[in-house]
Amino acid sequence: MRKFIFVALVSVGLASCFDSQTAANANDAEKKNKTCNIVNVPVFNQDSAFDYVKKQCDFGPRVPNSASHEKCLGFLAGELSRLGGSVSLQKADLKGYDGTIYKSTNIIAAFYPERNNRIVLFAHWDSRPVSDQEDGTKKTALQKPVMGANDGASGVAVLLEAARNFAAQDPGLGIDIVLFDAEDCGAPHWEQSKVENDWCLGSQFWSNNTGYSLSNKPRLGILLDMVGGPNPSFCIDAVSGYYAPNYAGDFWKVASGLGFGSFFKNVAGGQIVDDHYYVNTIAGIPTFDVIDFDTQRGFPEMWHTQHDDVEHIDRNTLGAVGRVLLRYVYTDCAK
Ligand SMILES: [Zn+2]
């Protein structure tokens, strides 16, 4: 993900954002009369989620075309299958900013695949090939891959731990988990990209090839990205606020109700492009992003540096996001 401005939203989106907000407010007013029955929400195990972060990082940076990437693919596909998902691998050769072809695999796991009432949960499982947010004087560090404990592995870990619960306790709807590849291969800031849309390659491919029919297309999507850092700042970014304002609003309300209002801030999160941009604009599935970014601080300090490692993961953050996610999914208002 990156903080490149989503120009289209700047030019046409502002007025529309106000319209969306008005619609969201009207919808919220309606919902005040609706009771959301909380059915037995399973307990999210943050220690298990932390172990899933560590297991991914034990392979090393999962940079596309590397041996670590290939090994981690086997682990993730095997684990999702073991947890009860119907796993399929969507393979594609995707062209990067400098013409490199990335042998990419989106990992897809369907839970309760026979159900047409579905939602879809996303994260990216690849790691960034360069640490281009390192101090510019550290030339060697700049060229090293990012471990991606937070940037990538944390979202995957929360979804794996959630998956364990989906299989053990019926959420009452179908759930797809899609782990995107090649999200983080965009041009370093010192390079000019030779292709348009050089980030989020896996999600662009998936969005053009979802394989859903009209009847089983998910109603909403949730993307988790950088959900394991200390003192996170989760705000509703412009793309989420434009395409999925009500779903995002409900999610943030659930977070506040669980006492996580200091992590999930009820303010606009600014303009970023992440996988959800392509899911919204190409696949047409209303999708919001839970991402550690705010307009004052930007991305977390460790972002795209050599310090995005397991030592800088806070299991309480994983736990907070996991608890909100399970509460949201298992609340019948989400259906
Ligand atoms: Zn990244």
Side-chain angles (χ1 to χ4, degrees):
M1 75 306 307
R2 62 244 26 90
K3 54 188 170 185
F4 295 166
I5 305 253
F6 171 30
V7 180
L9 271 187
V10 175
S11 55
V12 305
L14 289 179
S16 305
C17 279
F18 287 117
D19 294 344
S20 300
Q21 199 52 53
T22 309
N25 290 342
N27 202 359
D28 288 347
E30 272 175 37
K31 283 189 174 176
K32 279 185 182 151
N33 298 321
K34 189 174 168 186
T35 307
C36 294
N37 294 311
I38 310 290
V39 291
N40 253 337
V41 180
V43 177
F44 186 86
N45 186 331
Q46 64 187 42
D47 296 324
S48 174
F50 181 83
D51 286 345
Y52 276 132
V53 173
K54 188 167 180 316
K55 276 185 179 138
Q56 292 172 79
C57 292
D58 284 346
F59 291 106
R62 283 80 60 214
V63 174
N65 297 348
S66 72
S68 299
H69 183 261
E70 190 65 21
K71 283 181 195 155
C72 190
L73 167 61
F75 166 69
L76 293 174
E79 194 64 11
L80 282 165
S81 179
R82 191 183 72 79
L83 293 172
S86 300
V87 175
S88 53
L89 302 180
Q90 184 181 54
K91 292 191 175 284
D93 289 351
L94 303 173
K95 192 186 278 189
Y97 73 89
D98 59 355
T100 300
I101 299 296
Y102 295 111
K103 296 278 183 191
S104 303
T105 307
N106 293 324
I107 307 167
I108 302 162
F111 292 81
Y112 307 97
E114 70 287 357
R115 293 178 181 164
N116 282 339
N117 181 17
R118 312 192 68 71
I119 64 171
V120 56
L121 309 176
F122 306 104
H124 77 89
W125 72 274
D126 62 304
S127 323
R128 179 148 179 75
V130 290
S131 301
D132 58 340
Q133 293 299 318
E134 275 289 346
D135 178 345
T137 59
K138 300 179 188 164
K139 295 274 190 260
T140 334
L142 285 166
Q143 297 293 342
K144 284 185 182 164
V146 178
M147 180 55 81
N150 195 21
D151 193 356
S154 65
V156 171
V158 169
L159 294 187
L160 287 174
E161 185 50 28
R164 181 199 309 287
N165 291 286
F166 299 153
Q169 185 179 319
D170 187 351
L173 75 173
I175 300 178
D176 296 324
I177 289 177
V178 180
L179 306 180
F180 294 128
D181 200 354
E183 187 272 348
D184 232 350
C185 300
H189 57 69
W190 59 80
E191 296 264 5
Q192 187 70 36
S193 177
K194 292 177 184 163
V195 299
E196 268 188 67
N197 300 308
D198 53 326
W199 300 82
C200 306
L201 303 180
S203 57
Q204 292 182 60
F205 185 82
W206 182 85
S207 296
N208 279 305
N209 302 278
T210 66
Y212 291 124
S213 66
L214 276 180
S215 55
N216 71 358
K217 186 173 175 178
R219 290 175 297 102
L220 81 117
I222 305 172
L223 170 63
L224 304 184
D225 196 355
M226 298 200 286
V227 292
N231 303 314
S233 190
F234 302 124
C235 308
I236 301 177
D237 73 281
V239 171
S240 300
Y242 184 73
Y243 289 101
N246 297 338
Y247 292 133
D250 285 349
F251 197 88
W252 262 250
K253 259 187 266 170
V254 168
S256 164
L258 285 172
F260 297 124
S262 62
F263 289 176
F264 288 82
K265 293 166 186 168
N266 195 12
V267 295
Q271 311 257 350
I272 54 164
V273 172
D274 201 355
D275 288 317
H276 67 318
Y277 172 66
Y278 298 100
V279 174
N280 278 299
T281 57
I282 301 174
I285 299 170
T287 298
F288 63 86
D289 194 3
V290 179
I291 184 166
D292 192 354
F293 177 85
D294 69 38
T295 52
Q296 290 186 331
R297 186 211 55 192
F299 289 118
E301 195 186 340
M302 316 301 169
W303 175 65
H304 291 183
T305 73
Q306 287 292 294
H307 303 288
D308 180 3
D309 52 20
V310 175
E311 286 70 48
H312 293 98
I313 292 295
D314 187 336
R315 62 186 78 209
N316 293 311
T317 306
L318 297 170
V321 174
R323 283 182 62 195
V324 176
L325 179 68
L326 288 188
R327 174 66 69 101
Y328 184 83
V329 167
Y330 281 82
T331 302
D332 61 2
C333 271
K335 295 165 191 162

